[in-house]
Amino acid sequence: MKIRNFSSLQVQKSHLQRSYPSPFHRFQTSATSSHAKKSNPFLSLTQDPNPTSFSVPYYSKLLSKCNASKTLYPGMQIHAHTLKFGSTNDPKSRNFLISLYAKCKLFGYARKLVDESPEPDLVSWSALISGYAQNGFARDAIWAFHEMHLLGLKCNEFTFPSVLKACAFTKDLELGRQVHGIVVVNGFESDEYVGNSLVVLYSKCGKFGDSRRLFEDIPERSVVSWNALFSCYVQSDYFGDAVELFREMVLSGIRPNEFSLSSMINACTGLEDSGEGRKIHGFLIKLGYDSDPFSKNALVDMYAKIGNLEDAVVVFEEIREPDIVSWNALIAGCVLHDKHDSALEFFGQMRLSGAHSNMFTLSSALKACAGIGLKELGRQLHCNLLKLNVGSDPFVHVGLIDMYSKSGLMNDARMVFNLMPDKDLIAWNAVISAHSQNGEDMEALLLFPLMHEAGVGFNQTTLSTVLKSVASFQVNYVCKQVHAHSAKSGFESDRYVVNSLIDAYGKCALLEDATRIFRECLIVDLVGFTSMITAYSQSGQGEEALKLYLEMLDRGIEPDPYVCSSLLNACANLSAYEQGKQVHVHVLKHGFMYDNFAGNSLVNMYAKCGSIDDAECAFSSIPERGIVSWSAMIGGLAQHGHGKEALRVFNQMLKYGVSPNQITLVSVLCACNHAGLITEAQKYFRSMNELFGFEPMQEHYACMIDLLGRAGRLDEAMELVDTMPYQADGSVWGALLGAARIHKNVEIGQRAAEMLLILEPEKSGTHVLLANIYASVGMWNNVAKMRRLMKDCNVKKEPGVSWIEVKDKIYTFIAGDRSHFRSEEIYAKLDELSERLSKAGYIPKVEFDLHDVERDEKEKLLYHHSEKLAVAFGLIATPAGTPIRVKKNLRVCIDCHTAFKFISKIVSREIILRDINRYHHFKDGSCSCGDYW
């Protein structure tokens, strides 16, 4: 069979035949040193007074030993000796020399000897081809085979394995098939070694079916044949198939050797199957291979990667002299499982042991430094890498970028990137990801077009990272541009990109686009559902989020802590207590209670659904409470008006050694605000920097101004506004306006309203509150002016909307709503309550209604407020004695607040109302806020 034209291999013949200066002169002096006398057993050749006494067979015997042990320099001395005394014509000696030079990568010398052979010799050509193949010069091996074939030499069972190995190395299946044809023509297909090489060739080219058939055709399969087959499966990540083949081999009576077991250890590592790994470990001990260093290192690597670090350490300590591979396996395993302290401890032990670290060791150590923020040690490792002269290695640069960025040293990370001579795709992805993870989203977005200009291209990792920054920065037009790039480059159907697009569109409030991408995706996974559920939740469409969760379950997709967390947030936003409890059941069912995400979301959900007792139970169930857990609990207590309890939990947190962040202090000040604890609030506010290491933010000032204003200390509140180091925003002026309404202070109310109309002209609440202030002091002309101003400016009062959950369904009400299917019963219940309220002494607060109608009509309008409709429906649709939970999008009005205190006593039901500011628990005629809200 002819072999195709080899010109396409791009191998230059001159490369094979290049000449080298003779190296033999260097041994003239070195051979006389005392060290050489002791270490070189062939030195007698150059010192014998009668060198001609050595026979050709003796030369051949010495060269055979050199060849077997790859002892290059003595072999060269013998070669020089034979040249000097004319003993070069022995073919056996020449073949040993060709084999020696080829094994030691001195292909110029090997080829010269081949070319000088008086006749083409199969053995010499086979030795040359074998040397090329064994040293990774696959193209050179194929070219040499081509030349040999042209000379008319027929391959044998020793040549074919080398040629097939070269074909497998280059994954050249077409050429491999041609060589396979020559094997068949020459009758070597049944030879075990040739058969093994064919098995490897087809496996590495992805033809596992052909590979398995060839394996079955080998008449007598030894352990080497089995090793060849399942090692290819392992290398191609078919770990389960490899394990099955191993079991089949053992059942067939073939005894595994250390190479079989090493392959199986790697398969168990890939499967992350510690049980199967222990069985293989047992095989090693049983068969006496447990002292083999390669097997030991493979075991350390397996246990470390699977996460059984204790077992990895046990095996490691059994190694008499751990080499750098042993240390690297242990250190990398610790880093993989976030045991960064242990990784650096082993790194220190390695250095004390005298072992020299390499690039991989230092890269693992860099990751450990990044994991725990050891900046200075990271810099020292950077210096060590420079000493190792690996400055141009992109793998090292990416590790340094990662270390510096995770240590918060973005300038250093960027400098490493800028100094890279050749920035590949991985490096660009690393630096974009670094900026994104450090909250520098604009920098991440600006790098993307620069990357495109550099001609590097991008992949799904790039797009996912850029979209993450788009989501954080909420840049709508950039989101659409990146989407267009994704579609143009063919990544629009990539699962990771699709999920990132859903997330980005959702966080940019482009819910229609997010929904369209989600629905157009052929295969939606758990991450996609989580992104879409989160988008609905964050957009206030909790009902859609709950529907989508049910759809996900119907598709057989099991939830994880993240989707449960998103769903709990949706329930929290809706105050959907019953549905939140059902999600809690899913959390328990799937064992997510020990997950911080799910645990924190449970605390938040129960708090926002008005059940602070359930929130406390969920909080106590979290095994490792971090700052988010504590902040959620403190914030929940604050919103429910339990100020002193919130401060008790805060002090408990400090005793546990958990340092608060700025969000925690906002919750603490809110707790003081809702409970009127002015002294405590001032203590924390004034000593914030001294006690906790950060200056008060605008949110802290807003809390203090609101607190002072509610307490009637308006002058102090105004003084704080005038002296604060920030330009007062809407939250600050809103707090002052609310305080002015409570205390009927027209002057401050007007000033606050003027500023709010400049900062937030679209919000109707400013006009309404100022009108309420005018109404409270009888300035009805001003009330009329405010109403005209709202009409002229086309400002519409935001309608009050209330929600109530009954039997897993959310019902929505607006003032005067008659769209509900039980509206007749609802209004009948309100009429009944009206009579009972009048008898109990309730008087409607008509003075706060701004409608220009008669008193009777105002009373009727007050009775039909959305929260009263929701409570009336709760009374007729829920069992007697159960709490009624209502949520409202605005602050509860004074009339409803007064009415609910009476209703809670009349019907003996607790009413839990969540308005925009806090929770009100109405029970037995009083409210938990103490009328301080």
Side-chain angles (χ1 to χ4, degrees):
M1 181 181 288
K2 290 185 179 181
I3 300 180
R4 62 181 166 84
N5 189 348
F6 279 77
S7 61
S8 62
L9 300 175
Q10 298 179 349
V11 178
Q12 298 295 327
K13 190 172 180 180
S14 59
H15 169 69
L16 302 174
Q17 295 179 327
R18 57 181 176 266
S19 60
Y20 293 83
S22 174
F24 300 132
H25 69 276
R26 76 179 88 162
F27 300 104
Q28 303 298 320
T29 55
S30 63
T32 60
S33 68
S34 60
H35 175 72
K37 287 178 182 176
K38 292 179 183 177
S39 62
N40 189 352
F42 307 99
L43 195 59
S44 58
L45 283 171
T46 60
Q47 295 180 337
D48 193 280
N50 185 21
T52 57
S53 62
F54 294 106
S55 64
V56 170
Y58 185 66
Y59 286 133
S60 180
K61 184 178 179 182
L62 290 177
L63 286 170
S64 173
K65 290 181 179 179
C66 293
N67 184 44
S69 60
K70 286 193 187 179
T71 313
L72 177 61
Y73 293 162
M76 283 181 155
Q77 286 181 298
I78 298 168
H79 189 186
H81 206 270
T82 59
L83 289 170
K84 185 176 180 180
F85 296 103
S87 305
T88 60
N89 294 325
D90 178 47
K92 197 171 183 181
S93 299
R94 184 172 57 251
N95 288 337
F96 280 133
L97 278 169
I98 292 168
S99 179
L100 175 64
Y101 287 141
K103 285 179 180 177
C104 298
K105 301 184 185 180
L106 293 178
F107 298 115
Y109 303 137
R111 183 56 193 258
K112 188 172 185 295
L113 287 170
V114 171
D115 290 340
E116 289 174 352
S117 299
E119 293 182 4
D121 186 349
L122 175 60
V123 177
S124 55
W125 278 99
S126 295
L128 180 65
I129 293 167
S130 176
Y132 280 132
Q134 287 176 7
N135 286 291
F137 293 89
R139 294 291 181 188
D140 299 297
I142 293 168
W143 185 268
F145 170 67
H146 174 56
E147 288 191 272
M148 187 192 81
H149 192 73
L150 293 176
L151 290 171
L153 292 172
K154 289 188 177 182
C155 295
N156 60 13
E157 67 272 26
F158 303 107
T159 319
F160 280 124
S162 298
V163 178
L164 290 167
K165 182 178 181 180
C167 295
F169 185 86
T170 57
K171 294 187 178 179
D172 192 336
L173 184 60
E174 183 185 347
L175 179 60
R177 288 186 191 279
Q178 293 184 43
V179 177
H180 186 183
I182 299 172
V183 167
V184 174
V185 168
N186 286 277
F188 289 109
E189 71 274 16
S190 60
D191 181 85
E192 184 184 2
Y193 294 103
V194 176
N196 293 343
S197 300
L198 284 167
V199 166
V200 171
L201 166 69
Y202 283 99
S203 294
K204 291 200 171 179
C205 291
K207 301 295 182 180
F208 286 95
D210 293 334
S211 175
R212 186 62 190 266
R213 282 190 291 273
L214 287 165
F215 174 78
E216 298 292 345
D217 289 340
I218 300 173
E220 294 183 8
R221 296 187 291 272
S222 68
V223 68
V224 177
S225 306
W226 285 95
N227 288 349
L229 183 61
F230 54 63
S231 66
C232 290
Y233 276 83
V234 172
Q235 289 167 12
S236 298
D237 295 344
Y238 293 116
F239 305 117
D241 295 320
V243 172
E244 287 301 320
L245 282 169
F246 176 77
R247 290 174 181 157
E248 188 180 332
M249 181 189 80
V250 173
L251 289 173
S252 71
I254 302 291
R255 175 190 170 100
N257 60 16
E258 62 270 35
F259 302 107
S260 320
L261 297 170
S262 290
S263 288
M264 283 305 98
I265 292 169
N266 292 332
C268 295
T269 304
L271 290 169
E272 297 184 3
D273 188 341
S274 58
E276 195 65 36
R278 289 181 187 280
K279 291 178 184 177
I280 302 300
H281 191 174
F283 263 113
L284 276 168
I285 296 170
K286 182 179 178 181
L287 299 174
Y289 297 127
D290 52 318
S291 60
D292 175 62
F294 295 102
S295 300
K296 285 285 188 187
N297 287 342
L299 280 170
V300 172
D301 183 63
M302 177 193 72
Y303 283 127
K305 284 182 178 174
I306 290 173
N308 294 344
L309 294 173
E310 291 182 2
D311 291 331
V313 172
V314 169
V315 176
F316 177 83
E317 289 175 346
E318 292 173 354
I319 303 173
R320 291 183 182 178
E321 296 182 3
D323 57 12
I324 191 62
V325 178
S326 317
W327 286 105
N328 283 351
L330 190 59
I331 294 168
C334 291
V335 171
L336 181 65
H337 295 281
D338 295 330
K339 305 291 184 183
H340 303 300
D341 290 322
S342 300
L344 293 175
E345 184 181 342
F346 287 125
F347 177 68
Q349 290 179 19
M350 185 202 75
R351 299 182 75 172
L352 290 173
S353 73
H356 295 288
S357 54
N358 61 16
M359 180 178 68
F360 302 104
T361 327
L362 294 171
S363 294
S364 292
L366 281 172
K367 290 179 183 177
C369 291
I372 52 180
L374 292 179
K375 304 175 185 178
E376 293 308 314
L377 180 57
R379 291 186 191 278
Q380 292 176 30
L381 293 173
H382 190 174
C383 293
N384 287 343
L385 283 165
L386 292 174
K387 290 175 184 177
L388 284 174
N389 195 28
V390 290
S392 61
D393 190 288
F395 180 75
V396 172
H397 280 110
V398 170
L400 286 167
I401 291 169
D402 181 64
M403 184 275 295
Y404 282 125
S405 66
K406 287 181 178 174
S407 300
L409 302 171
M410 273 309 300
N411 289 337
D412 295 293
R414 193 61 185 267
M415 185 181 295
V416 171
F417 175 76
N418 291 338
L419 292 173
M420 287 182 70
D422 297 307
K423 302 176 182 68
D424 61 6
L425 177 61
I426 297 172
W428 280 96
N429 283 348
V431 75
I432 291 173
S433 178
H435 282 297
S436 180
Q437 288 171 359
N438 280 274
E440 298 178 1
D441 297 303
M442 180 56 77
E443 290 295 326
L445 294 177
L446 289 173
L447 279 169
F448 184 54
L450 294 177
M451 177 183 183
H452 192 63
E453 288 172 12
V456 178
F458 53 85
N459 61 9
Q460 59 266 54
T461 304
T462 323
L463 293 169
S464 296
T465 307
V466 170
L467 285 166
K468 179 177 177 290
S469 287
V470 168
S472 299
F473 212 58
Q474 296 182 356
V475 201
N476 294 11
Y477 71 94
V478 177
C479 187
K480 290 182 179 292
Q481 288 179 357
V482 176
H483 187 184
H485 274 293
S486 304
K488 188 176 179 181
S489 56
F491 287 113
E492 192 180 23
S493 59
D494 180 85
R495 186 176 58 183
Y496 299 103
V497 175
V498 167
N499 292 338
S500 299
L501 280 167
I502 294 168
D503 181 61
Y505 274 126
K507 287 178 179 171
C508 289
L510 299 171
L511 206 59
E512 288 184 11
D513 294 286
T515 305
R516 178 175 52 78
I517 292 169
F518 178 80
R519 291 301 176 191
E520 287 176 357
C521 188
L522 296 176
I523 302 174
V524 184
D525 59 6
L526 175 61
V527 179
F529 270 100
T530 304
S531 299
M532 199 65 237
I533 287 169
T534 303
Y536 280 131
S537 176
Q538 292 173 344
S539 299
Q541 298 190 29
E543 290 183 70
E544 292 299 320
L546 292 166
K547 288 178 185 175
L548 197 59
Y549 178 70
L550 295 174
E551 180 184 331
M552 184 190 86
L553 295 180
D554 288 340
R555 292 196 191 187
I557 299 174
E558 290 293 316
D560 67 355
Y562 302 103
V563 74
C564 287
S565 177
S566 295
L567 201 62
L568 287 166
N569 291 334
C571 295
N573 292 336
L574 286 171
S575 290
Y577 177 71
E578 293 300 327
Q579 294 187 30
K581 285 202 298 183
Q582 291 180 27
V583 180
H584 189 176
V585 171
H586 282 275
V587 170
L588 291 169
K589 180 181 176 182
H590 292 91
F592 299 148
M593 273 308 298
Y594 295 100
D595 181 85
N596 278 356
F597 283 101
N600 296 338
S601 297
L602 271 172
V603 174
N604 178 60
M605 183 274 294
Y606 279 124
K608 287 187 175 178
C609 288
S611 182
I612 199 66
D613 292 337
D614 288 328
E616 286 181 310
C617 288
F619 175 74
S620 62
S621 300
I622 300 173
E624 295 182 10
R625 294 188 283 270
I627 186 60
V628 177
S629 312
W630 289 98
S631 297
M633 192 66 241
I634 294 166
L637 289 166
Q639 285 190 318
H640 284 269
H642 302 306
K644 291 182 179 178
E645 180 65 13
L647 295 182
R648 186 193 67 77
V649 173
F650 177 66
N651 290 323
Q652 185 183 2
M653 180 191 84
L654 297 178
K655 286 180 183 178
Y656 278 109
V658 179
S659 299
N661 58 21
Q662 292 169 326
I663 296 171
T664 319
L665 266 297
V666 170
S667 296
V668 168
L669 292 177
C670 284
C672 296
N673 186 8
H674 290 312
L677 304 173
I678 298 174
T679 305
E680 291 83 349
Q682 287 180 324
K683 180 186 78 172
Y684 288 120
F685 180 77
R686 290 168 180 168
S687 58
M688 200 176 292
N689 187 28
E690 180 186 343
L691 293 176
F692 310 116
F694 47 81
E695 295 291 340
M697 299 189 307
Q698 184 133 311
E699 290 85 346
H700 301 118
Y701 277 95
C703 283
M704 282 305 300
I705 290 163
D706 189 33
L707 173 64
L708 292 169
R710 286 174 184 276
R713 296 160 68 165
L714 291 168
D715 291 338
E716 291 179 57
M718 281 304 306
E719 183 182 352
L720 198 56
V721 172
D722 294 334
T723 58
M724 65 188 287
Y726 305 99
Q727 187 72 33
D729 64 2
S731 64
V732 171
W733 292 112
L736 273 175
L737 183 59
R741 182 196 60 79
I742 294 169
H743 300 286
K744 304 178 182 180
N745 189 309
V746 176
E747 181 184 351
I748 290 178
Q750 286 178 329
R751 182 182 173 187
E754 286 173 5
M755 296 304 299
L756 282 168
L757 289 173
I758 294 170
L759 295 170
E760 300 171 346
E762 75 285 353
K763 290 194 174 180
S764 63
T766 304
H767 302 80
V768 174
L769 280 174
L770 186 57
N772 283 338
I773 294 172
Y774 290 144
S776 67
V777 295
M779 299 173 66
W780 296 106
N781 288 335
N782 292 50
V783 172
K785 287 180 183 178
M786 287 305 302
R787 290 179 62 82
R788 282 197 299 272
L789 179 64
M790 289 178 69
K791 187 176 181 180
D792 294 342
C793 296
N794 200 27
V795 175
K796 295 182 179 179
K797 182 179 180 294
E798 183 181 358
V801 182
S802 298
W803 296 267
I804 184 171
E805 181 192 20
V806 176
K807 295 181 181 178
D808 297 339
K809 189 174 180 181
I810 307 296
Y811 295 91
T812 306
F813 294 91
I814 59 174
D817 189 2
R818 291 186 179 272
S819 63
H820 196 277
F821 72 97
R822 297 184 69 178
S823 61
E824 289 186 12
E825 296 174 74
I826 291 169
Y827 281 93
K829 174 58 72 172
L830 285 174
D831 291 339
E832 175 197 328
L833 286 172
S834 174
E835 294 179 13
R836 298 177 68 182
L837 284 170
S838 297
K839 290 178 182 178
Y842 161 74
I843 300 173
K845 305 290 183 180
V846 295
E847 62 270 23
F848 294 104
D849 187 272
L850 303 181
H851 291 91
D852 189 14
V853 293
E854 296 297 324
R855 180 183 177 88
D856 290 346
E857 187 63 25
K858 284 189 176 184
E859 288 185 9
K860 187 177 179 181
L861 289 171
L862 288 174
Y863 268 118
H864 297 168
H865 275 190
S866 64
E867 54 264 58
K868 287 194 180 83
L869 293 173
V871 168
F873 176 61
L875 288 171
I876 64 174
T878 60
T882 58
I884 297 171
R885 304 174 191 275
V886 175
K887 177 192 171 185
K888 187 178 181 182
N889 65 326
L890 303 175
R891 181 179 178 275
V892 61
C893 75
I894 295 174
D895 180 73
C896 287
H897 191 272
T898 304
F900 289 156
K901 287 192 290 184
F902 280 94
I903 293 171
S904 68
K905 188 173 183 179
I906 290 171
V907 299
S908 300
R909 299 276 290 271
E910 181 182 8
I911 300 171
I912 302 169
L913 174 67
R914 172 189 170 189
D915 70 7
I916 196 170
N917 290 327
R918 62 173 296 160
Y919 288 84
H920 301 267
H921 292 255
F922 300 96
K923 191 174 183 180
D924 298 328
S926 63
C927 180
S928 60
C929 72
D931 297 336
Y932 185 86
W933 92 101

